[in-house]
């Protein structure tokens, strides 16, 4: 007996067609004929939240799905000038691109403390969002209110939450046992922490001059395929079929503008304090394995914002402005980030800010980079550098709660400047350690990770001599 059919999420052709049709509508390709043929043959829209539909498609429908995916890839898109691809075209579209590194405040010891706080902040923000990942915004609010924790000020808990409410809005099944206030004991494994670890290995092995192919090599050596999702899983599959970057990002990959590259970007900013342009360029080389368009812009935005926050003298508003400076200003991502910042500055009720952004970008998937970047920017703006306020707002925005909490926590941790400034309520449950399946790093301490990251800030860029500008 073979048992029930295996459904590998995020790669089934019959599921990818629906997602690619949505992507076509977003980037201006006329796919009405393809959509009509797909629906007439019995094809379904993309799963709303899950990674695979059930049951599997008949063989004939699967063959049609593969054919239509290839046809969709050939459709011309509108407005490539608004949303250019490739590092040279992206940089040419950004008139305010940061051209020179700025000073880094303090000694290496001070930078080490900032990096320690950033690793802890990323973990805490991620962990806060894990139990409510995939839940609708209404469910997140009701669960927190039932526990007396709205507006959100601390870890989610099941204490005091009615059973019938939990039946309607169950915690994330993979995370509930390790991410509620009553059961946190260290940082459990999560892709939002696995990718910074992979990028640490990447820079250790290949330096700042790494290529996108080097990223692929590290993944194949150190990243289990089952720990990848959405665009990363498709790119991994494409590597195993013999494709090379950038085709790994584009071939039958409707997730190429989703959030995956953004969640890999922090290490590039951490290792380029005060040099956001270089951080963005490094993040783009990483992102090109799996993403294009707004997916790449989101990674560049995050890396540049992190690099500015890491300099020790900037505030969150300067970090966000710097992040926008490396994003093509006419792109959808730039418009969404500006929208999130503007609403957060103008509307006193943060719940209304979030509601407005959900309404404005509701056509996107909940893991897409555009709506998540808008919400992230709003949370960072309203948090104004306060660590707890920032991660709580990021998670209370909904959508990709653990990823947005992680990036917000990294930036807010850098701005806080020291692990103690994050508050014991956020750091003590982490127990100073991190679980992972990456590269023999399971159980590594956050203090050790900070020291290893600091070492990479001194690695010379290709063609330059070692050194880092500091003020003492």
């Amino acid at each position: 007996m073979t048992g029930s059919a295996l459904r590998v999420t995020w790669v089934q052709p019959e599921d990818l067609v629906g997602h690619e049709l949505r992507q076509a509508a977003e980037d201006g390709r006329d796919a009405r004929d393809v959509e009509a043929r797909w629906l007439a043959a019995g094809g379904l829209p993309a799963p709303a939240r899950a990674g695979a539909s059930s049951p599997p498609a008949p063989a004939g429908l699967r063959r049609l799905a593969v054919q239509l995916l290839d046809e969709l890839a050939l459709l011309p898109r509108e407005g490539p000038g608004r949303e250019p691809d490739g590092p040279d075209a992206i940089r040419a579209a950004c008139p305010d691109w940061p051209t020179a590194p700025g000073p880094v405040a303090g000694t290496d010891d001070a930078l080490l403390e900032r990096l320690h706080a950033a690793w802890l902040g990323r973990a805490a923000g991620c962990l806060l969002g894990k139990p409510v990942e995939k839940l609708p915004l209404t469910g997140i609010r009701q669960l927190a209110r039932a526990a007396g924790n709205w507006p959100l000020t601390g870890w989610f808990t099941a204490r005091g939450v009615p059973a019938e409410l939990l039946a309607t809005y169950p915690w994330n099944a993979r995370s509930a046992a390790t991410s509620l206030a009553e059961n946190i004991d260290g940082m459990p494994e999560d892709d939002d922490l696995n990718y910074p670890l992979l990028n640490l290995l990447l820079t250790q092995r290949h330096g700042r001059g790494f290529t996108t192919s080097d990223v692929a090599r590290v993944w194949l050596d150190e990243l289990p395929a089952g720990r990848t999702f959405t665009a990363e899983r498709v790119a991994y599959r494409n590597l195993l079929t013999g494709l090379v970057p950038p085709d790994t990002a584009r071939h039958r990959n409707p997730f190429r503008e989703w959030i995956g590259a953004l969640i890999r970007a922090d290490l590039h900013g951490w290792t380029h304090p005060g040099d956001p342009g270089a951080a963005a360029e490094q993040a783009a080389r990483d992102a090109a394995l799996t993403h294009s368009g707004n997916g790449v812009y989101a990674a560049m935005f995050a890396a540049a914002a992190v690099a500015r926050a890491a300099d020790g003298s900037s505030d969150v508003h300067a970090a966000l402005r710097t992040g926008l400076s490396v994003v093509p200003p006419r792109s959808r991502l730039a418009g969404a980030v500006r929208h999130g910042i503007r609403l957060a500055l103008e509307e006193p009720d943060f719940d209304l800010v979030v509601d407005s952004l959900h309404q404005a970008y509701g056509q996107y998937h909940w893991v897409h980079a555009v709506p998540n970047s808008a919400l992230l920017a709003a949370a960072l703006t309203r948090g104004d550098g306060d660590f707890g306020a920032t991660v709580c707002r990021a998670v209370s925005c909904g959508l990709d709660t653990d990823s947005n909490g992680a990036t917000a926590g990294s930036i807010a941790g850098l701005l806080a400047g020291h692990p103690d400034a994050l508050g014991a309520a956020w750091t003590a449950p982490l127990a100073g350690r991190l679980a992972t399946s990456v590269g023999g790093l399971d159980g590594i301490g956050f203090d050790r990770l900070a020291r290893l990251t600091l070492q990479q800030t001194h690695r010379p860029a290709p063609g330059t001599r070692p050194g880092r500008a500091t003020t003492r």
Side-chain angles (χ1 to χ4, degrees):
M1 295 180 63
T2 59
S4 59
L6 176 65
R7 299 293 283 153
V8 181
T9 57
W10 308 114
V11 293
Q12 309 289 349
E14 59 269 28
D15 299 325
L16 301 185
V17 172
H19 286 299
E20 187 61 46
L21 288 169
R22 289 180 68 169
Q23 174 65 28
E26 292 158 7
D27 64 29
R29 286 172 291 153
D30 185 353
R32 288 173 292 182
D33 175 67
V34 174
E35 183 174 26
R37 290 159 57 200
W38 175 243
L39 296 176
L44 298 173
R49 302 188 79 80
S53 59
S54 181
L61 189 61
R62 174 166 286 196
R63 286 193 295 271
L64 177 63
V66 171
Q67 175 188 331
L68 295 182
L69 285 168
D70 291 342
E71 289 185 26
L72 285 164
L74 297 175
L75 293 176
R77 66 185 179 97
E78 299 175 355
R82 289 190 304 109
E83 297 185 347
D85 278 323
D88 293 339
I90 293 172
R91 184 163 179 167
C94 299
D96 299 321
W97 185 279
T99 56
V104 179
T107 64
D108 271 358
D109 287 343
L111 178 58
L112 178 65
E113 298 295 359
R114 292 198 292 275
L115 293 172
H116 190 181
W119 274 104
L120 285 168
R122 183 164 185 83
C126 174
L127 188 56
L128 176 63
K130 281 175 73 67
V132 293
E133 184 185 12
K134 301 183 183 179
L135 286 181
L137 184 60
T138 297
I140 295 172
R141 289 172 172 174
Q142 289 189 29
L143 288 167
R145 285 192 179 104
N149 188 24
W150 194 267
L152 197 63
T153 57
W155 307 108
F156 286 93
T157 178
R159 298 188 186 108
V161 180
E164 57 270 23
L165 181 58
L166 285 171
T168 304
Y169 298 113
W171 307 115
N172 183 285
R174 291 190 177 194
S175 303
T178 56
S179 59
L180 297 174
E182 50 268 33
N183 58 35
I184 297 172
D185 183 18
M187 179 63 201
E189 181 169 12
D190 192 276
D191 59 338
D192 292 289
L193 276 297
N194 281 346
Y195 286 116
L197 295 172
L198 282 165
N199 280 336
L200 180 60
L201 295 179
L202 171 69
T203 54
Q204 286 176 333
R205 295 176 186 180
H206 300 286
R208 297 189 184 198
F210 70 81
T211 66
T212 306
S213 293
D214 292 328
V215 180
R217 292 185 186 97
V218 171
W219 283 29
L220 292 172
D221 287 344
E222 305 294 353
L223 179 63
R227 295 294 191 267
T228 61
F229 306 94
T230 66
E232 286 71 28
R233 182 166 293 182
V234 173
Y236 206 114
R237 178 208 64 191
N238 287 341
L239 283 169
L240 295 178
T241 63
L243 294 176
V244 297
D247 291 339
T248 49
R250 302 173 189 277
H251 181 67
R252 298 177 187 166
N253 183 4
F255 315 119
R256 58 193 176 273
E257 291 198 318
W258 288 20
I259 203 174
L262 186 157
I263 72 173
R264 311 202 304 260
D266 280 19
L267 194 284
H268 305 308
W270 292 341
T271 56
H272 288 86
D275 196 355
E281 290 173 345
Q282 189 162 299
R285 294 200 305 277
D286 175 5
L289 178 64
T290 54
H291 286 72
S292 65
N294 290 274
V296 174
Y297 307 158
M300 297 172 71
F301 165 75
V306 168
R308 177 59 69 213
D311 69 15
S313 60
S314 298
D315 63 13
V316 70
H317 310 290
L320 289 168
R321 288 193 300 271
T322 301
L324 274 170
S325 73
V326 302
V327 177
R330 297 170 58 204
S331 66
R332 284 170 285 146
L333 190 110
V337 169
R338 291 192 298 264
H339 189 187
I341 292 170
R342 182 174 66 254
L343 283 178
L345 291 172
E346 295 174 354
E347 170 56 59
D349 187 333
F350 192 69
D351 284 358
L352 293 181
V353 172
V354 174
D355 290 343
S356 294
L357 292 173
H358 275 253
Q359 182 176 10
Y361 304 105
Q363 75 273 26
Y364 288 97
H365 192 276
W366 67 276
V367 189
H368 200 285
V370 167
N372 281 289
S373 295
L375 293 165
L376 173 64
L380 285 163
T381 299
R382 186 59 67 85
D384 198 22
D386 180 279
F387 179 79
T390 298
V391 294
C392 285
R393 281 170 173 79
V395 170
S396 70
C397 287
L399 298 190
D400 201 338
T401 50
D402 62 333
S403 295
N404 290 335
T407 303
S410 167
I411 293 174
L414 289 167
L415 296 172
H418 193 282
D420 293 346
L422 275 58
W426 294 112
T427 58
L430 301 178
R433 65 181 185 272
L434 170 64
T436 183
S437 55
V438 172
L441 297 174
D442 187 46
I444 193 168
F446 293 104
D447 54 349
R448 175 65 176 157
L449 287 171
R451 289 192 293 274
L452 294 173
T453 305
L454 179 67
Q455 291 174 8
Q456 297 309 306
T457 70
H458 291 286
R459 290 285 292 271
T464 64
R465 293 179 298 176
R468 179 178 62 79
T470 60
T471 58
R472 296 182 181 271

